[in-house]
Amino acid sequence: MEHIRTTKVEQVKLLDRFSTSNKSLTGTLYLTATHLLFIDSHQKETWILHHHIALVEKLALTTSGCPLVIQCKNFRIVHFIVPRERDCHDIYNSLLQLSKQAKYEDLYAFSYNPKQNDSERLQGWQLIDLAEEYKRMGVPNSNWQLSDANREYKICETYPRELYVPRIASKPIIVGSSKFRSKGRFPVLSYYHQNKEAAICRCSQPLSGFSARCLEDEHLLQAISKANPVNRYMYVMDTRPKLNAMANRAAGKGYENEDNYSNIRFQFVGIENIHVMRSSLQKLLEVNGTKGLSVSDFYSGLESSGWLRHIKAVMDAAIFLAKAIMVENASVLVHCSDGWDRTSQVCSLGSLLLDSYYRTIKGFMVLIEKDWISFGHKFSERCGHLDGDPKEVSPVFTQFLECVWHLTEQFPQDFEFNEAFLLQIHEHIHSCQFGNFLGNCQKEREELKLKEKTYSLWPFLLDDQKKYLNPLYSSKSPKFAVLEPNTVSFSFKKLSNVKISKQMKFSPRNCYIQFILNHLPSKLPCVLRSKLCCL
Amino acid sequence: MEFSELIRTGRAQAKLLRGPEAPPLRGTLCVTGHHLLLSPGPQATSDLWLLLLRRVDSIQKRVSGDSGTITLRCKDLRVLQLDIEGVEATLDIARSIEALSSLESVITSFPFFYRPKGLRLGDAWHFHPPERYYKRVARETNAWRLSEVNGDFSLCPSYPRAVIVPRAVDDDALARCARFRQGGRFPVLSYHHAPSGTVLLRSSQPLTGPQKRRCAEDEELLRAVLAGARPGARGFVLDTRSAQAAKQARVTGGGTEAKAAYPGWKRLHRPLERGWPLQESFVRLVEACGDLEQSMDRWLSQPEACHWLAHVKEALSTAYLAAQGVGREGACVLVHGAEGTDSTLLVTSLAQLILDPSSRTIAGFQELVEREWIQAGHPFQLRCAHSAFSHARPKHEAPTFLLFLDCVWQLGRQFPQSLEFGEGLLLALFEHAYASPFGTFLCSSEKERCLCEVRTRTHSLWSGLNQPKEQRKLRNPLYVPNPLAIWPSVELQTLRLWQGLFLRWIRPPEPSEVAWEKVWQIVTDKKTEGCEPTVSASEPQL
């Protein structure tokens, strides 16, 4: 490739950043089209995918050589010392180019070839079938039907083609409602609870401004509450803090006025926006990356990052949602601003709490496919797959995985998968090795012809299922076994968990902070889980 | 019997609330000399509910109308609420509990009356005497001997009858040595590390005083230690106070070893918190854990709450240092603070756990606790008189032993396969150290134990714990003997709050207990199939 000037540098040192005595490994650094590879004198290989690189820094020249620090999106940090400055400069420039691609076609997924033929590839893509999933939930039925309104992406570009809406909602009502909602994202079904006949619906904020109203939208909400035969009122959850929602009114957006809609109960939840989350993670990483902090500095750093508070807010919202359905038997409509970040978090976590199917390996894939991929969570922008606006990057999906991790901790027997599974998914949302997480919505993915040009991640994970099984899982629990997590103890967990730390040097995946690696369960760290598996 | 004077009322009708999870219990409440009983009515199926009164840490009463409420906060951090019919009965019961739970006399305490089925008096008391450990040391080296110079506890009231000392030092020299150390705690062997041929010693501070007194016998003893170790061994004196504090101690007659007087020994200072600050951080942590309403922000900003983990970190890293000196650098290490009965024992016992694989078995750990805490004279009676809820003015309370258990728990979490025991044993030790029907943790020293005839008149906790029916709770199903030293990570980021203890009565315990049971199941199933897991590394498995 044209960006690579030097393919091989010898006598490079890899610093062990956890050791206090500046230990290092000497070896050879190779630069390939897709990876940076370091082979040390013991023939141990360290692979870094270019797409995983978040930041490359060249530090000031020292007597031993030129230091090169690479920070990865999976929270790994690697510190090389290259003997000659020119080599270092070449590698630095190459990595800068290689880690930021301008076009989708240059991403790894389009060149990745796992030696499968076309039919195998297609089968892989068909593994997760959302139509099948809605059937499993029990729709269409007498109250809910498949709408063909968005078949050609005419009403909403960021929604999937197939949407489920209340049977009594006619097409004009849907079209009218979509015009009243930001980005045309009108209320549609996300999860249907068969036992309670209650639904989780999702949408974006209404364009209500200070006084605007829309009869079709009001009708659609009424239709949703009528689709629930047991309970006539429904909850509308605005997952934003009230202040943010009010500020949006000035821009002609905002939130539902309870007086205009019959039978709704309106509720703010107060999850912060993507920018707050981004800087919160940034602060957390800084605290974690600093060696030798004092006790009080460490905890005040943790606290001021606010990360735990945000995780708890997301969890609390999901718990609220699950309770509304289980206890009050009410349907819930969830939205935030555009309905693709916080809404995805809350809907997916809520369904996870309600339905044990989503706690299996396959079910979890379905959940991600449904609430995140198909409903247009902007993976490419949030993960920074392409060289784009850094303000669009935010760890929204990472937070979701962390919440799930917390649940696996509290309920060690209720999840079929283990921590390694979550880690692997987290790895691949950034890796661009598979097509699943590329693009920002279904329409874009179809235009990219991902199903023809790239492979799906899920069959590969399923093939490796053994690695991801939780040995403690008891599959006997009934379908609608609800998890009732206790978020009080969240603070405790995280408090003592986040770490940089020394002992991770033994693991190749060493710098995952966060839920990743650090949060080992108190009784059975993941290594043991896998040990138990292969016992 | 004098208890009857303290019991003001026979019985009352009451309802017992045991935290958010357990269902309330109704029945007749009754106070006896050592227990609070609640016997449910004849129609109820559940058994008698029983609480050892010594377990009550603080009691709070409230009356309204014609009923009252008593809140009992126990030493094992459990909070119980009793709703009692009748104001008079409430006040009487409260007063009885107050009086009976704070009885100070040892020989009227419950262990002297406790006669469980299936145990014989005197069993297990002779499992772990110093002679037994000496036998092991004698197999490894002949540089040490067992001295009975303290046979009548005249040299040092807080040491056991027999101690292990260098063979080259005779009993007369020991006697003079004892006069030079606070409380007579002259340097004795704590652990002999066979692979490197070096030793871990403990003592109290030397009484150098402002005049910088010296003691030839004490210097000779430490020289003999180095001579008895592998040739060319150096020595470290690990002082658990700061250099400043050690210097200040001279004013009150204490001090620390002068460099010139002890050639070959280097002094290190690693200040460890002790006494009241430690107790206070324990109290604050328990307070923070019990406050369910608080937001996450407040929890994180409670510096006191966080301090507990800082103490854990300090204790572990000091033990790490001592173990490093002995195991990796082949040096002899003498640990002492001031009295040598608190942080000294914390450091030496943890260091042994890091270095010595046999102390990580159930039997070995019991021996370690017996030898390094109980017989080494940790004043349990004073330190564990009250737990975190007490409003009484603190005198000598300090959760040093709890800190030790927490550190062991952290080790177990970092090396999940290397300890033969699980959290269950640590929780049991915590409970029994503060209030127990067994005599093991009674009194503050061997001398007192002899005076009270604890060994012949009470049952040993070890015989209670080693009954087969207890094993499944205490044992770690994942244990694989690990012959290497386990070097823990002491970074703050790797330490965790011991939820199993501090949140034990607050969060629902079921999921983790069921999971524990499941692990047992998996492991037993696999073992019968004949494949044994193997241990791969001595580093933390994360």
Side-chain angles (χ1 to χ4, degrees):
Chain A
M1 280 187 46
E2 71 271 30
H3 301 306
I4 301 178
R5 280 178 223 138
T6 316
T7 54
K8 180 179 173 188
V9 186
E10 286 175 358
Q11 292 297 312
V12 174
K13 282 190 191 135
L14 172 64
L15 280 198
D16 182 346
R17 79 185 260 280
F18 304 111
S19 113
T20 41
S21 52
N22 279 339
K23 267 191 279 180
S24 67
L25 293 166
T26 309
T28 312
L29 194 66
Y30 297 91
L31 196 58
T32 74
T34 53
H35 288 84
L36 185 68
L37 168 62
F38 178 80
I39 303 182
D40 66 24
S41 46
H42 308 296
Q43 299 302 313
K44 210 179 131 242
E45 298 174 4
T46 308
W47 292 80
I48 298 166
L49 186 65
H50 294 328
H51 295 310
H52 269 150
I53 296 175
L55 189 69
V56 200
E57 271 179 299
K58 203 162 63 110
L59 305 184
L61 194 67
T62 64
T63 47
S64 51
C66 192
L68 188 71
V69 179
I70 299 173
Q71 287 185 27
C72 299
K73 289 173 182 170
N74 53 11
F75 309 125
R76 178 183 207 167
I77 299 176
V78 197
H79 198 136
F80 289 115
I81 294 184
V82 185
R84 284 169 54 209
E85 197 189 3
R86 248 195 62 200
D87 291 334
C88 183
H89 191 72
D90 282 349
I91 291 180
Y92 173 73
N93 278 332
S94 305
L95 288 181
L96 276 190
Q97 305 277 349
L98 291 167
S99 62
K100 288 277 176 216
Q101 301 294 355
K103 294 201 303 283
Y104 280 117
E105 283 73 16
D106 293 333
L107 292 176
Y108 185 29
F110 290 90
S111 58
Y112 175 67
N113 184 357
K115 302 204 172 55
Q116 285 190 346
N117 60 34
D118 285 352
S119 73
E120 279 173 314
R121 171 186 1 225
L122 196 66
Q123 259 181 350
W125 278 110
Q126 284 163 349
L127 181 71
I128 305 293
D129 182 359
L130 287 186
E132 199 61 40
E133 167 60 11
Y134 283 102
K135 217 179 276 168
R136 187 194 68 85
M137 288 181 209
V139 285
N141 58 21
S142 55
N143 290 319
W144 293 88
Q145 66 172 357
L146 178 65
S147 155
D148 59 356
N150 201 36
R151 186 119 303 177
E152 307 299 324
Y153 296 118
K154 273 190 185 137
I155 297 183
C156 175
E157 294 199 338
T158 56
Y159 267 171
R161 287 176 192 271
E162 294 181 346
L163 293 169
Y164 291 82
V165 292
R167 200 169 277 278
I168 51 172
S170 63
K171 197 167 174 190
I173 286 184
I174 291 172
V175 174
S177 165
S178 78
K179 290 196 175 124
F180 186 63
R181 293 278 171 179
S182 173
K183 307 274 193 327
R185 294 171 68 92
F186 61 95
V188 295
L189 181 77
S190 159
Y191 176 74
Y192 178 75
H193 197 286
Q194 224 169 346
N195 270 16
K196 299 275 174 186
E197 298 184 71
I200 302 176
C201 296
R202 53 185 293 169
C203 63
S204 62
Q205 63 183 341
L207 303 175
S208 54
F210 289 100
S211 57
R213 50 189 292 192
C214 168
L215 286 177
E216 288 93 339
D217 194 59
E218 288 159 25
H219 276 142
L220 186 53
L221 259 64
Q222 206 164 23
I224 291 175
S225 58
K226 273 189 186 150
N228 180 343
V230 187
N231 200 326
R232 281 297 166 210
Y233 63 81
M234 67 184 282
Y235 279 100
V236 175
M237 276 172 81
D238 190 328
T239 54
R240 298 168 292 182
K242 190 171 183 188
L243 209 64
N244 298 18
M246 304 232 298
N248 262 306
R249 286 215 296 209
K253 299 164 187 172
Y255 52 92
E256 290 83 357
N257 185 341
E258 258 179 302
D259 301 337
N260 298 342
Y261 294 85
S262 54
N263 292 330
I264 71 163
R265 294 191 180 176
F266 189 82
Q267 177 79 32
F268 284 111
V269 188
I271 304 174
E272 297 288 348
N273 65 22
I274 57 165
H275 311 295
V276 176
M277 300 306 187
R278 181 179 54 244
S279 64
S280 164
L281 180 65
Q282 197 61 41
K283 281 184 205 150
L284 184 69
L285 290 177
E286 272 166 30
V287 175
N288 268 337
T290 317
K291 265 199 256 178
L293 278 184
S294 76
V295 182
S296 50
D297 285 353
F298 178 72
Y299 286 113
S300 63
L302 262 191
E303 184 194 345
S304 67
S305 79
W307 182 258
L308 298 168
R309 198 178 58 233
H310 300 317
I311 294 291
K312 184 171 186 288
V314 175
M315 259 339 289
D316 282 339
I319 293 167
F320 177 86
L321 190 158
K323 275 204 180 133
I325 290 192
M326 282 318 289
V327 180
E328 301 186 46
N329 222 327
S331 292
V332 185
L333 175 68
V334 184
H335 72 75
C336 49
S337 296
D338 288 318
W340 51 44
D341 293 314
R342 290 167 269 197
T343 304
S344 294
Q345 286 179 332
V346 174
C347 289
S348 54
L349 277 174
S351 327
L352 189 81
L353 292 178
L354 288 168
D355 192 335
S356 61
Y357 175 65
Y358 296 129
R359 296 173 226 145
T360 63
I361 288 188
K362 178 91 182 285
F364 193 65
M365 295 172 179
V366 169
L367 184 68
I368 292 175
E369 195 73 38
K370 169 171 76 75
D371 269 318
W372 292 86
I373 298 176
S374 86
F375 277 113
H377 174 69
K378 305 202 283 176
F379 273 106
S380 273
E381 288 197 351
R382 296 291 178 259
C383 302
H385 289 158
L386 298 178
D387 197 7
D389 184 358
K391 287 221 166 83
E392 286 291 329
V393 177
S394 186
V396 177
F397 190 73
T398 306
Q399 283 183 327
F400 163 68
L401 289 182
E402 174 158 346
C403 289
V404 177
W405 180 85
H406 277 290
L407 289 172
T408 63
E409 285 288 276
Q410 272 198 33
F411 303 97
Q413 292 202 284
D414 288 282
F415 288 83
E416 192 190 7
F417 49 83
N418 60 19
E419 188 178 34
F421 183 62
L422 298 175
L423 279 173
Q424 196 64 16
I425 292 175
H426 186 256
E427 191 90 341
H428 282 297
I429 58 167
H430 293 110
S431 74
C432 305
Q433 188 175 355
F434 296 96
N436 305 61
F437 302 107
L438 299 188
N440 292 314
C441 61
Q442 291 298 56
K443 187 173 177 230
E444 200 176 349
R445 288 185 191 105
E446 284 172 23
E447 286 163 6
L448 287 170
K449 297 202 169 58
L450 288 178
K451 292 198 177 177
E452 291 148 52
K453 293 181 178 165
T454 69
Y455 294 85
S456 165
L457 167 66
W458 308 128
F460 292 88
L461 289 184
L462 269 188
D463 282 349
D464 275 347
Q465 220 185 96
K466 249 188 136 170
K467 279 201 282 193
Y468 306 126
L469 285 177
N470 169 13
L472 302 181
Y473 178 59
S474 73
S475 50
K476 276 170 262 149
S477 61
K479 186 184 172 200
F480 294 114
V482 184
L483 301 186
E484 290 170 24
N486 169 1
T487 56
V488 173
S489 64
F490 269 36
S491 44
F492 298 105
K493 291 231 155 157
K494 198 43 167 303
L495 164 76
S496 28
N497 277 340
V498 185
K499 59 191 174 195
I500 3 167
S501 66
K502 222 166 167 180
Q503 84 288 6
M504 275 189 264
K505 68 187 168 197
F506 312 109
S507 156
R509 304 174 297 185
N510 46 15
C511 308
Y512 288 62
I513 50 150
Q514 290 325 308
F515 75 99
I516 310 206
L517 273 199
N518 304 324
H519 297 177
L520 300 175
S522 48
K523 276 184 179 151
L524 292 172
C526 61
V527 177
L528 281 171
R529 288 209 174 139
S530 52
K531 273 226 169 100
L532 283 174
C533 274
C534 51
L535 258 176
Chain B
M1 197 153 103
E2 71 250 52
F3 295 128
S4 52
E5 297 157 23
L6 300 169
I7 301 171
R8 285 161 183 268
T9 181
R11 56 191 60 203
Q13 291 300 312
K15 187 174 81 171
L16 171 74
L17 300 165
R18 295 173 291 176
E21 299 303 318
L25 217 60
R26 273 166 218 282
T28 313
L29 191 70
C30 182
V31 185
T32 71
H34 293 290
H35 286 96
L36 191 63
L37 304 174
L38 188 81
S39 77
Q43 71 278 18
T45 49
S46 59
D47 290 338
L48 197 70
W49 177 85
L50 205 79
L51 178 76
L52 190 62
L53 282 175
R54 199 130 181 101
R55 201 154 272 173
V56 174
D57 202 20
S58 84
I59 171 165
Q60 198 184 338
K61 51 184 184 280
R62 214 175 48 234
V63 251
S64 63
D66 58 352
S67 70
T69 304
I70 296 181
T71 308
L72 298 175
R73 292 192 165 77
C74 302
K75 288 175 181 162
D76 56 1
L77 309 183
R78 187 166 19 172
V79 180
L80 301 164
Q81 191 188 322
L82 283 166
D83 294 334
I84 299 170
E85 286 169 22
V87 175
E88 204 57 26
T90 309
L91 295 178
D92 281 347
I93 284 177
R95 252 175 263 146
S96 315
I97 296 176
E98 245 163 28
L100 287 165
S101 64
S102 56
L103 283 181
E104 293 209 341
S105 149
V106 171
I107 47 168
T108 56
S109 65
F110 184 60
F112 287 88
F113 300 91
Y114 182 51
R115 296 291 174 263
K117 257 184 274 167
L119 295 184
R120 270 187 310 137
L121 269 183
D123 269 3
W125 276 116
H126 302 291
F127 278 3
H128 318 287
E131 287 83 1
R132 201 177 128 99
Y133 184 64
Y134 176 69
K135 263 186 207 145
R136 190 181 137 189
V137 175
R139 272 201 302 275
E140 295 162 349
T141 171
N142 59 4
W144 296 83
R145 68 185 179 94
L146 193 70
S147 165
E148 304 212 350
V149 64
N150 197 35
D152 54 357
F153 302 111
S154 59
L155 274 194
C156 170
S158 60
Y159 271 169
R161 288 177 191 276
V163 288
I164 305 171
V165 294
R167 191 171 288 281
V169 180
D170 60 29
D171 283 355
D172 292 341
L174 290 178
R176 273 190 289 275
C177 231
R179 258 173 267 143
F180 182 62
R181 295 275 175 177
Q182 185 176 359
R185 295 175 69 91
F186 52 90
V188 295
L189 180 101
S190 161
Y191 170 62
H192 179 256
H193 187 244
S196 70
T198 53
V199 293
L200 192 63
L201 305 158
R202 53 181 158 74
S203 71
S204 62
Q205 63 177 346
L207 299 172
T208 54
Q211 295 93 25
K212 300 198 184 168
R213 281 202 306 134
R214 290 174 57 169
C215 170
E217 285 78 10
D218 194 68
E219 290 160 22
E220 178 52 39
L221 194 155
L222 289 190
R223 205 168 320 139
V225 168
L226 288 191
R230 73 182 176 94
R234 287 175 305 150
F236 290 107
V237 176
L238 192 60
D239 196 324
T240 61
R241 303 163 293 178
S242 65
Q244 184 71 21
K247 215 176 248 172
Q248 274 171 1
R250 278 207 219 125
V251 182
T252 50
T256 185
E257 290 83 356
K259 210 178 285 172
Y262 298 88
W265 289 86
K266 198 178 159 210
R267 220 172 54 221
L268 299 168
H269 290 277
R270 284 290 177 282
L272 289 182
E273 206 60 82
R274 62 198 82 214
W276 173 237
L278 199 59
Q279 175 74 9
E280 192 183 23
S281 107
F282 175 42
V283 171
R284 291 286 170 86
L285 177 61
V286 171
E287 241 168 52
C289 290
D291 186 358
L292 295 175
E293 301 303 315
Q294 70 181 341
S295 73
M296 183 127 25
D297 288 348
R298 262 194 53 216
W299 163 254
L300 273 177
S301 64
Q302 293 224 353
E304 275 77 18
C306 303
H307 265 150
W308 179 261
L309 283 179
H311 299 321
V312 172
K313 174 186 152 84
E314 288 307 321
L316 266 178
S317 56
T318 311
Y320 190 110
L321 188 75
Q324 200 177 23
V326 172
R328 282 186 175 160
E329 287 169 30
C332 296
V333 177
L334 166 67
V335 185
H336 72 73
E339 293 97 345
T341 53
D342 291 281
S343 31
T344 305
L345 305 180
L346 183 64
V347 173
T348 57
S349 53
L350 282 174
Q352 289 181 49
L353 213 57
I354 293 173
L355 290 169
D356 182 12
S358 67
S359 70
R360 294 178 223 135
T361 61
I362 290 192
F365 186 68
Q366 292 179 356
E367 190 192 319
L368 184 76
V369 171
E370 179 79 27
R371 185 163 51 84
E372 286 296 293
W373 287 90
I374 298 170
Q375 304 203 353
H378 178 67
F380 280 100
Q381 193 76 19
L382 301 173
R383 298 288 182 260
C384 301
H386 286 289
S387 170
F389 291 122
S390 170
H391 302 299
R393 200 138 59 87
K395 286 176 285 199
H396 305 287
E397 289 81 6
T400 320
F401 187 62
L402 171 62
L403 186 59
F404 165 69
L405 295 176
D406 198 337
C407 292
V408 177
W409 180 82
Q410 307 279 354
L411 278 176
R413 206 182 70 75
Q414 290 185 26
F415 299 91
Q417 290 184 294
S418 296
L419 302 185
E420 200 192 0
F421 45 91
E423 195 178 29
L425 179 62
L426 302 176
L427 289 175
L429 288 182
F430 166 68
E431 264 182 48
H432 286 285
Y434 277 89
S436 169
F438 295 99
T440 296
F441 289 106
L442 285 182
C443 302
S444 289
S445 66
E446 280 300 291
K447 188 182 176 185
E448 287 177 27
R449 254 166 241 134
C450 278
L451 287 175
C452 299
E453 300 173 308
V454 169
R455 278 164 196 257
T456 49
R457 294 178 52 196
T458 72
H459 284 282
S460 159
L461 171 64
W462 310 127
S463 59
L465 287 181
N466 291 340
Q467 293 175 80
K469 61 173 182 187
E470 302 284 335
Q471 291 300 300
R472 201 148 162 133
K473 271 189 278 173
L474 308 179
R475 215 168 261 279
N476 173 9
L478 304 166
Y479 175 65
V480 180
N482 175 358
L484 305 166
I486 49 172
W487 299 103
S489 159
V490 295
E491 292 296 316
L492 197 51
Q493 289 88 340
T494 59
L495 303 179
R496 272 185 141 201
L497 185 81
W498 186 5
Q499 296 195 36
L501 184 119
F502 293 106
L503 301 182
R504 186 175 176 192
W505 309 107
I506 292 161
R507 55 161 200 193
E510 289 85 29
S512 58
E513 270 170 19
V514 177
W516 189 243
E517 195 49 41
K518 177 102 181 185
V519 174
W520 261 110
Q521 223 171 5
I522 295 174
V523 171
T524 10
D525 285 358
K526 296 297 168 183
K527 276 215 178 120
T528 50
E529 279 167 33
C531 38
E532 288 282 330
T534 50
V535 66
S536 50
S538 75
E539 303 288 0
Q541 300 176 339
L542 293 168

